[in-house]
Amino acid sequence: MESEAGNGKAGKKGTSESKGRESKDFIRAIIEEDLRTNKYGGRVHTRFPPEPNGYLHIGHAKSICLNFGIAEEYNGLCNLRFDDTNPSKEDVEYVNSIIEDVRWLGYDWGDRLYYASDYFEQLYEYAIELIKMGKAYVCDLSPEEIRQYRGTLTEPGKESPYRNRSVEENLDLFRRMRAGEFPDGSRVLRAKIDMSSPNLNMRDPVMYRILRAEHHRTGNKWCIYPLYDFTHCLSDSIERITHSICTLEFEDHRPLYDWFLDQLGVYHPQQIEFARLNLSYTVLSKRKLTELVNGGYVDGWDDPRMPTLAGLRRRGYTPESIRDFCDRIGVAKRESVVDIALLEHCLRVDLNKRAPRVMAVLNPLKVVIENFPEGLVEEMEAINNPEDPSMGTRKVPFSRTLYIERDDFMEDPPKKFYRLAPGREVRLRYAFFIKCVDVIKDPNTGEIVELRCIYDPETRGGAAPDGRKVKATLHWVSANHAVTAKVRIYDHLFTVPEPGAIKDSDFKEFINPESLIELNNCKLEPSLKNAKPGSFYQFERQGYFCVDTKDSTENSPVFNRSVALRDTWAKIKKKQEAKS
Ligand code: ATP
Ligand code: MG
């Protein structure tokens, strides 16, 4: 990753990789170099700066883990700061969800919860200062005219006819803008930089606009609002951030970031850009996610199919698994698409060790054990998690009538089907061998409705004293003891790996119609009766499931499948390893 070192300051490239330390990403390399040279007096101070105009998604988690993670690693601090300069799109609902999500991920900003809107007065003073220095002017061009005057990548821009207003006139007009004397959109304050700069961001960018919109914090106090580029660098400066880490699309904004700070001669943090996370089979753009929510394509921001942290949490993702994921993907300067299988793999790795294993039949088929006495209940001993003996064991009731998975029986099995079939013997997990002796069908539809089996009482615990073997072990649930529950099987939200990148099409065309399948008659072992919302389990042979926090009621849990057991990522990795 060393070739990707690039903090933009010419000449700093690759200063610290070759010193024999274990490989660090380019951002940590910059920070270590700054610590070595004592650039910020040994301080490391980062921030995570969300705009409260949507819920956080897994891409934001990458930025959160990076900013808070770096602060932790280098004994520094990380602020949570809302970049709330766009009142028409912001809402306290988003503020609250963001606070909840960052905390859920396991990070703590201490008493440093800030809002850019808290700096409005100070930002206004900075703007006045720039006007006094002849570095900012009030412009009366319409938004459309400003766009036309800006020029293009190949053509220089044209100077605004208002560019050379006197300082006095600018001061007067800007104060009157604040006082509410002019209608929305009629005037703006612009930085006076260079209309022929090859960087369009430097062509007299707008600093303030007139907008009568109630702000979720400042109410109607302001009718002018500062724009992002002006606000962001100064907020960083006010908070004495050392390393202002952001995504690559801000690379071209860095000269402007630097310009404002240099003109004003204030404390100057260093902006560093990294590649944003893209994840396959989903979209990570707030605009697109908002479209999915508002268009009713999903059931809200916390729909378990959404890549939002609220959605992932409801799906059953743990903060540990998400932090592990962010750690594994690392940071780089080049954009790429990360395989969603890696995220799923991280969850399996985490839950494999922690989730209690239980038996649950998703598509039940009734089995009657003909030689098992009516009314008798045997308590079978089951292991809660073979990965962790300290999780102990539990008792699972076994009786004459059971359910097994419909898929685990075939009347006319093909060659490689080893599970139950007429005349064949299999093991029931933690119980006995059973053999199928008869198949009962609905006389009208021909559907199999029941299997008649016999069991061998000598095989208690799953082994035959005579040493005979069976080829399959099935999970099962005692019918009389079963908890009937709704289980939701989730799959990727989109059918194609990059739904947002397909030419001439709308990403919503690729929504997976089978991204949610509801099963309403699942039979769970009785220990799940009081499963607490938010708790997670491995359903043996099926996957990891969690109890839905919204739709479960007392004694009636609803389960969401977090992830299936089959680990495609582990397979991909094995193949790669075999190749190299
Ligand atoms: P979106 O593009 O989804 O609308 P945004 O950049 O507008 O996101 P912000 O609230 O401004 O959303 O993001 C807060 C921080 O998270 C920013 O520093 C931004 O760079 C970072 N961030 C946003 N999306 C990603 C991503 N996909 N990967 C990594 N970091 C991201
Ligand atoms: Mg942004």
Side-chain angles (χ1 to χ4, degrees):
M1 217 165 275
E2 52 206 60
S3 62
E4 282 152 357
N7 57 3
K9 295 270 183 216
K12 283 263 179 79
K13 195 174 172 204
T15 38
S16 58
E17 296 86 26
S18 52
K19 296 194 182 122
R21 71 160 61 94
E22 55 180 296
S23 91
K24 288 260 153 66
D25 61 66
F26 75 99
I27 295 181
R28 286 168 170 91
I30 293 169
I31 288 173
E32 291 188 13
E33 180 63 10
D34 290 345
L35 285 172
R36 198 184 61 78
T37 61
N38 212 29
K39 185 167 169 192
Y40 299 100
R43 286 188 314 121
V44 173
H45 200 150
T46 56
R47 83 286 169 267
F48 174 64
E51 291 170 65
N53 59 359
Y55 279 60
L56 296 181
H57 54 60
I58 183 79
H60 294 115
K62 175 177 180 178
S63 175
I64 294 167
C65 291
L66 188 59
N67 280 296
F68 281 94
I70 281 174
E72 268 173 21
E73 281 161 56
Y74 296 100
N75 248 323
L77 298 169
C78 181
N79 299 351
L80 175 58
R81 182 208 312 146
F82 288 99
D83 234 319
D84 54 349
T85 55
N86 191 0
S88 47
K89 290 201 170 157
E90 294 162 4
D91 200 288
V92 279
E93 177 194 348
Y94 301 133
V95 170
N96 293 337
S97 77
I98 289 168
I99 288 175
E100 182 185 358
D101 289 348
V102 179
R103 197 166 275 149
W104 176 73
L105 268 184
Y107 295 109
D108 182 13
W109 48 88
D111 56 359
R112 295 174 318 283
L113 172 60
Y114 299 127
Y115 295 83
S117 56
D118 290 345
Y119 309 140
F120 280 173
E121 196 62 53
Q122 196 166 350
L123 292 172
Y124 178 81
E125 291 305 321
Y126 281 135
I128 295 277
E129 228 177 286
L130 285 171
I131 294 173
K132 286 182 177 163
M133 286 158 51
K135 299 288 181 184
Y137 63 97
V138 173
C139 181
D140 303 356
L141 292 179
S142 69
E144 183 47 38
E145 287 167 321
I146 290 182
R147 211 170 303 127
Q148 280 165 10
Y149 275 61
R150 189 177 295 131
T152 63
L153 282 173
T154 49
E155 275 171 60
K158 233 171 36 178
E159 294 191 352
S160 160
Y162 305 99
R163 197 172 199 260
N164 294 313
R165 275 178 162 151
S166 70
V167 168
E168 288 67 38
E169 189 181 3
N170 282 320
L171 282 176
D172 175 60
L173 286 173
F174 188 52
R175 287 184 178 129
R176 287 165 62 196
M177 275 168 66
R178 176 180 183 170
E181 291 188 25
F182 311 119
D184 286 9
S186 60
R187 292 195 153 100
V188 293
L189 183 72
R190 298 175 72 174
K192 193 170 178 176
I193 308 180
D194 178 5
M195 287 310 290
S196 58
S197 169
N199 184 340
L200 269 68
N201 294 305
M202 300 299 273
R203 295 185 186 170
D204 291 10
V206 174
M207 295 164 59
Y208 271 89
R209 57 181 175 152
I210 305 173
L211 176 70
R212 284 168 181 80
E214 187 167 314
H215 187 282
H216 58 102
R217 286 182 63 83
T218 57
N220 292 308
K221 180 169 178 212
W222 294 87
C223 65
I224 54 171
Y225 288 97
L227 270 83
Y228 177 85
D229 282 320
F230 179 63
T231 309
H232 196 78
C233 56
L234 287 163
S235 302
D236 281 347
S237 174
I238 291 166
E239 293 175 17
R240 302 191 79 72
I241 299 304
T242 56
H243 301 86
S244 176
I245 301 168
C246 62
T247 35
L248 279 184
E249 67 270 25
F250 292 104
E251 199 162 21
D252 290 345
H253 296 240
R254 189 182 345 110
L256 182 54
Y257 183 105
D258 291 337
W259 187 88
F260 282 124
L261 299 176
D262 288 343
Q263 294 304 318
L264 289 163
V266 292
Y267 170 83
H268 198 144
Q270 156 110 54
Q271 177 177 308
I272 306 170
E273 309 87 16
F274 69 99
R276 62 197 293 116
L277 169 68
N278 301 299
L279 193 64
S280 65
Y281 295 99
T282 191
V283 289
L284 294 184
S285 131
K286 264 191 258 177
R287 185 183 59 74
K288 291 188 177 133
L289 296 175
T290 307
E291 228 178 301
L292 291 175
V293 173
N294 292 344
Y297 296 94
V298 293
D299 182 23
W301 285 98
D302 65 350
D303 185 302
R305 291 166 293 180
M306 290 281 273
T308 52
L309 295 180
L312 290 166
R313 175 165 62 236
R314 216 177 137 198
R315 176 79 169 257
Y317 274 82
T318 60
E320 290 82 357
S321 62
I322 292 176
R323 290 207 306 266
D324 179 30
F325 170 75
C326 292
D327 202 41
R328 289 178 195 232
I329 57 176
V331 288
K333 271 282 191 192
R334 211 172 315 115
E335 290 252 356
S336 63
V337 180
V338 173
D339 194 331
I340 199 167
L342 175 60
L343 179 64
E344 294 167 348
H345 172 75
C346 292
L347 181 62
R348 285 189 198 96
V349 168
D350 186 28
L351 293 185
N352 180 43
K353 288 183 246 117
R354 299 202 285 155
R357 299 191 188 182
V358 293
M359 293 196 284
V361 174
L362 302 184
N363 289 300
L365 174 61
K366 193 170 160 189
V367 170
V368 175
I369 317 265
E370 291 184 337
N371 60 338
F372 197 90
E374 299 259 9
L376 178 67
V377 178
E378 288 234 34
E379 297 283 343
M380 313 311 300
E381 172 132 326
I383 296 167
N384 289 334
N385 189 337
E387 298 284 322
D388 180 2
S390 77
M391 289 171 72
T393 60
R394 71 189 182 287
K395 296 274 195 262
V396 186
F398 185 93
S399 66
R400 182 178 158 90
T401 308
L402 311 170
Y403 292 113
I404 64 165
E405 211 68 63
R406 206 160 258 281
D407 284 354
D408 281 339
F409 175 81
M410 278 185 99
E411 195 174 15
D412 190 12
K415 242 190 172 165
K416 291 210 162 155
F417 185 89
Y418 298 120
R419 293 167 270 167
L420 199 58
R424 192 182 284 174
E425 192 172 46
V426 297
R427 176 188 297 112
L428 292 183
R429 182 97 160 130
Y430 299 124
F432 302 96
F433 286 8
I434 60 164
K435 187 180 196 166
C436 177
V437 293
D438 201 4
V439 181
I440 298 179
K441 295 179 183 169
D442 182 312
N444 296 319
T445 64
E447 189 199 9
I448 298 169
V449 291
E450 185 180 313
L451 302 178
R452 309 293 290 189
C453 295
I454 51 168
Y455 88 118
D456 177 356
E458 298 292 307
T459 57
R460 196 188 166 91
D466 63 5
R468 75 178 189 281
K469 299 276 186 250
V470 289
K471 283 202 171 138
T473 303
L474 312 185
H475 60 276
W476 53 274
V477 169
S478 165
N480 276 336
H481 302 86
V483 179
T484 303
K486 179 195 258 190
V487 175
R488 299 174 180 140
I489 305 294
Y490 290 106
D491 196 356
H492 299 149
L493 186 50
F494 294 93
T495 52
V496 294
E498 293 184 67
I502 294 177
K503 249 187 147 179
D504 303 321
S505 64
D506 184 297
F507 72 102
K508 298 192 295 299
E509 289 168 31
F510 304 102
I511 291 178
N512 178 4
E514 293 181 359
S515 56
L516 167 60
I517 292 171
E518 290 200 330
L519 303 172
N520 289 306
N521 186 35
C522 302
K523 302 292 182 182
L524 319 182
E525 67 167 67
S527 72
L528 291 172
K529 186 165 174 193
N530 299 311
K532 276 207 291 294
S535 56
F536 40 77
Y537 297 88
Q538 184 194 110
F539 288 1
E540 296 219 15
R541 302 174 62 226
Q542 299 284 6
Y544 292 98
F545 292 73
C546 76
V547 184
D548 192 75
T549 45
K550 249 188 175 168
D551 300 327
S552 300
T553 53
E554 213 181 340
N555 293 338
S556 181
V558 173
F559 282 83
N560 299 330
R561 187 174 75 182
S562 314
V563 65
L565 278 187
R566 199 167 58 108
D567 193 334
T568 47
W569 182 257
K571 260 198 198 151
I572 293 168
K573 247 180 83 182
K574 241 193 204 151
K575 254 195 215 155
Q576 284 170 347
E577 279 166 10
K579 263 193 208 153
S580 63

